[in-house]
């Protein structure tokens, strides 16, 4: 009896520079290497996807307000890409998007790029923060068109020791 093995071809990891994202990146590289898959490194800057008029019906939001953040993330993604290639990943693509992080990571980008696995770091928000902000990981699990792995440990399966709150105490 032949046992079939699940194989992923297009793996997406959300990268934001946090320790949780670093752990997700490490596991994504390991998974991409095991599956000989293409690795997509995506960073999303929360903001307007396209220029819009202001709430008062005047003004215009210029995309240039995001230029500095985009440039910073492009540099970080270039470093991640070098690490992935050094680890043996043959095909690595990086992208920085401006928009709603949840929608971009969980829905739009996976559909546009035929992603079959999303790897994302778990958030460390406190209970109030999760209620007010919502969890990107929870949204991704619920809405993604593919499998989702939420990373809570490093490659040695040790939980990261970080402060439980990312936002100020309320």
């Amino acid at each position: 009896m032949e046992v079939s093995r699940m194989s992923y071809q297009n793996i997406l990891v959300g990268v934001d520079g946090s320790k949780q994202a670093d752990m997700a990146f490490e596991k994504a590289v390991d998974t991409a290497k095991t599956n000989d898959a293409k690795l997509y490194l995506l960073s999303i800057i929360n903001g307007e996807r396209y220029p819009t008029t202001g709430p008062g019906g005047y003004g215009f939001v210029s995309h240039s307000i995001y230029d500095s953040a985009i440039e910073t993330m492009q540099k970080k993604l270039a470093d991640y890409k070098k690490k992935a290639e050094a680890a043996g990943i043959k095909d690595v693509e990086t992208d920085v998007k401006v928009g709603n992080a949840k929608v971009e990571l969980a829905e739009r980008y996976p559909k546009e790029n035929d992603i079959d696995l999303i790897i994302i770091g778990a958030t460390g928000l406190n209970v109030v923060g999760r209620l007010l902000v919502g969890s990107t990981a929870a949204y991704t699990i619920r809405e993604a068109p593919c499998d989702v792995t939420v990373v809570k440990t490093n490659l040695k399966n040790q939980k990261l020791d970080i402060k439980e709150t990312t936002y100020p105490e309320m």
Side-chain angles (χ1 to χ4, degrees), residues 18-65:
S18 68
K19 290 180 181 179
Q20 295 96 326
D22 287 345
M23 291 188 327
F25 168 76
E26 288 176 8
K27 289 204 176 181
V29 166
D30 192 55
T31 304
K33 193 172 176 181
T34 299
N35 288 274
D36 195 27
K38 181 171 183 176
L39 182 62
Y40 293 82
L41 307 175
L42 177 64
S43 182
I44 302 145
I45 297 164
N46 273 311
E48 295 292 328
R49 187 167 157 79
Y50 301 108
T52 61
T53 57
Y58 58 88
F60 197 74
V61 178
S62 170
H63 191 269
S64 66
I65 65 171

Side-chain angles (χ1 to χ4, degrees), residues 1-150:
M1 180 169 125
E2 189 175 320
V3 177
S4 65
R5 186 175 153 265
M6 180 60 157
S7 179
Y8 296 106
Q9 300 304 306
N10 297 300
I11 299 172
L12 170 63
V13 61
V15 179
D16 64 6
S18 68
K19 290 180 181 179
Q20 295 96 326
D22 287 345
M23 291 188 327
F25 168 76
E26 288 176 8
K27 289 204 176 181
V29 166
D30 192 55
T31 304
K33 193 172 176 181
T34 299
N35 288 274
D36 195 27
K38 181 171 183 176
L39 182 62
Y40 293 82
L41 307 175
L42 177 64
S43 182
I44 302 145
I45 297 164
N46 273 311
E48 295 292 328
R49 187 167 157 79
Y50 301 108
T52 61
T53 57
Y58 58 88
F60 197 74
V61 178
S62 170
H63 191 269
S64 66
I65 65 171
Y66 304 112
D67 287 350
S68 175
I70 291 169
E71 186 178 321
T72 298
M73 288 314 299
Q74 285 173 333
K75 288 177 183 175
K76 286 185 182 187
L77 289 177
D79 290 341
Y80 280 114
K81 181 176 181 174
K82 286 178 189 172
K83 289 178 186 176
E85 290 171 342
I89 307 302
K90 297 175 193 127
D91 197 358
V92 182
E93 186 171 313
T94 65
D95 203 355
V96 178
K97 298 281 188 189
V98 174
N100 180 307
K102 292 177 182 181
V103 173
E104 291 291 339
L105 182 67
E107 298 176 61
R108 192 170 286 127
Y109 198 87
K111 288 175 185 170
E112 291 173 356
N113 294 280
D114 205 24
I115 300 299
D116 50 16
L117 175 65
I118 299 171
I119 299 179
I120 186 173
T123 59
L125 295 180
N126 61 29
V127 174
V128 175
R130 279 193 298 269
L131 289 174
L132 295 175
V133 178
S135 168
T136 300
Y139 184 88
T140 302
I141 291 166
R142 209 173 41 251
E143 301 299 330
C146 60
D147 289 347
V148 177
T149 298
V150 178

